[in-house]
Amino acid sequence: MSALVIVASVGLFVDGRELLRQSIWAKPLKFGVSFVMYGATLAWLIPKLHRARRTMWTVGTLFAVAGLLDVGFVAVQAARGTFSHFNAGTDTFNQIGQQIFATGVFGLFGASLIVAIMLLFQRIGDAALTWALRAGLGLAVLGMALASFITGWTSSAGPRTVQDAYGSPVPLVGGHGVGAPDGGGMPITNWSSTGGDLRVPHFIGLHSIQVFVLTVLVLAALAPRIGHLRHERTRAQLTGVVIVGYGALFAITAWQALRGQSLIHPDAATWSALAATAVLTALLAALAVTAAHRTELAHRTELARRAEAASRSELVRRGKAAHRNGLAPGETTTPAGSRETDPHLDAAITPARPSGSTPTRWG
């Protein structure tokens, strides 16, 4: 995928062929970048799943092979100057490629779903990271499902004929757009600017795991400087707030696209949903910070109480030690009027008794 990013980037500048007024290498470039990020995330994640290691290795290999087949077909079709998605051309290469392409899509979806299910029964790192991975992979699976299975059913474009990079007619069936055909969209993404586009929630869902893991890393990096973030529970709560807000954004963009509405032309209902999401997210964040502040105060109070108890215990211990040594608490010398018992001093002041003599008896 990294190699494809380089090749496609060069192709953007040296190859002037276009499909629907966009460079033929734009789609391979986007797929390459997306799979670099998602593939690297899975490559890091799968070895951390301690259960069913062999099964997870197989799942990871399945994802890699399916990704190579799918993106490889996208790149080959681009090099041929024709469409990879929704191409109903009758030439043999395209028909065989479409079957392989469809199989690869199911492989990618199935592998991601299995990893997501396995995450439900295992914990990786602290609570914040575990929930970030679970929610991120879950949203990625939903994003794949939305783009892979709903697209053909909801697209109102219907069968149509367009021209390939050489001006030859190509029949297309289905599309990403809802209410408007694909093509002539926004810069870089090519998302529709006139109607709904399911690629928007697909992108948001697919890369949610990177957003959530980045949130965990940022919170962990700030923890040594911000006392509220030192507690694992607080970081997990704030990560949960990001998950809720991002999940709502995914749902809103999917709802917007299915209504045939462009991302950049939201109506009042969409704006209301976004405003409600912003308010809810801010409220949840405020509650999490307030709870963290209370936890920090309680923690400091407990530390002060323990320090005071330890100080009292030390004073009591010193008092008992002084009492055992015959000293008043705080005294370090022998009390006035007392005499230490010294065997050498006793020997010096006691008269020596001649050898063989008997003690004097007093009658």
Side-chain angles (χ1 to χ4, degrees):
M1 300 301 168
S2 300
L4 176 61
V5 170
I6 297 174
V7 172
S9 298
V10 173
L12 287 176
F13 296 99
V14 302
D15 194 338
R17 293 177 295 171
E18 292 185 345
L19 292 171
L20 299 178
R21 291 177 293 176
Q22 188 180 40
S23 172
I24 61 172
W25 295 106
K27 180 173 288 188
L29 177 61
K30 289 185 290 186
F31 270 77
V33 172
S34 180
F35 270 80
V36 164
M37 293 190 294
Y38 194 78
T41 303
L42 284 186
W44 167 80
L45 171 61
I46 288 178
K48 297 184 179 297
L49 298 174
H50 304 298
R51 298 181 183 178
R53 287 182 175 271
R54 186 176 296 275
T55 301
M56 290 296 97
W57 183 91
T58 303
V59 169
T61 304
L62 172 64
F63 183 91
V65 172
L68 286 173
L69 290 175
D70 263 25
V71 183
F73 180 70
V74 171
V76 169
Q77 289 290 81
R80 295 177 67 217
T82 189
F83 299 88
S84 55
H85 289 67
F86 315 114
N87 191 335
T90 57
D91 62 285
T92 304
F93 184 88
N94 179 69
Q95 289 184 333
I96 296 175
Q98 291 294 335
Q99 294 298 323
I100 297 175
F101 186 64
T103 303
V105 169
F106 279 100
L108 295 173
F109 177 80
S112 298
L113 180 61
I114 291 173
V115 176
I117 293 174
M118 290 300 297
L119 272 173
L120 296 177
F121 303 97
Q122 301 184 54
R123 177 168 177 166
I124 299 177
D126 58 12
L129 180 59
T130 298
W131 282 109
L133 293 173
R134 289 173 178 174
L137 209 52
L139 275 180
V141 170
L142 290 178
M144 290 182 186
L146 189 65
S148 302
F149 306 120
I150 302 179
T151 312
W153 303 341
T154 59
S155 176
S156 58
R160 59 184 177 134
T161 300
V162 296
Q163 292 182 344
D164 64 11
Y166 302 103
S168 301
V170 178
L172 298 181
V173 177
H176 302 100
V178 180
D182 295 342
M186 306 176 202
I188 302 177
T189 63
N190 200 36
W191 296 337
S192 178
S193 58
T194 58
D197 199 319
L198 290 165
R199 286 173 293 187
V200 177
H202 168 69
F203 176 85
I204 292 175
L206 187 64
H207 296 293
S208 60
I209 188 170
Q210 285 89 28
V211 175
F212 297 160
V213 171
L214 181 61
T215 300
V216 173
L217 295 178
V218 170
L219 292 177
L222 294 176
R225 302 178 181 180
I226 303 177
H228 295 347
L229 299 179
R230 294 173 186 171
H231 302 284
E232 177 182 339
R233 182 178 180 182
T234 301
R235 296 197 301 274
Q237 289 175 340
L238 290 175
T239 302
V241 172
V242 174
I243 291 172
V244 170
Y246 195 91
L249 180 64
F250 169 79
I252 291 172
T253 53
W255 173 57
Q256 183 184 22
L258 292 175
R259 290 187 294 133
Q261 184 180 119
S262 172
L263 176 69
I264 58 177
H265 297 295
D267 60 7
T270 303
W271 278 118
S272 298
L274 290 172
T277 298
V279 171
L280 176 62
T281 303
L283 178 61
L284 292 176
L287 291 176
V289 171
T290 301
H293 181 67
R294 292 176 180 175
T295 301
E296 183 69 15
L297 288 179
H299 179 67
R300 291 180 181 178
T301 303
E302 178 65 16
L303 288 179
R305 188 189 66 80
R306 290 182 181 181
E308 184 180 357
S311 178
R312 291 178 180 177
S313 177
E314 179 65 17
L315 289 176
V316 171
R317 186 190 66 78
R318 289 181 180 180
K320 290 182 178 180
H323 180 73
R324 285 196 300 268
N325 294 333
L327 301 175
E331 239 181 351
T332 58
T333 58
T334 305
S338 65
R339 179 177 63 84
E340 289 187 23
T341 301
D342 189 338
H344 300 288
L345 180 62
D346 290 342
I349 64 177
T350 303
R353 189 176 56 200
S355 176
S357 63
T358 58
T360 303
R361 295 189 180 183
W362 304 89

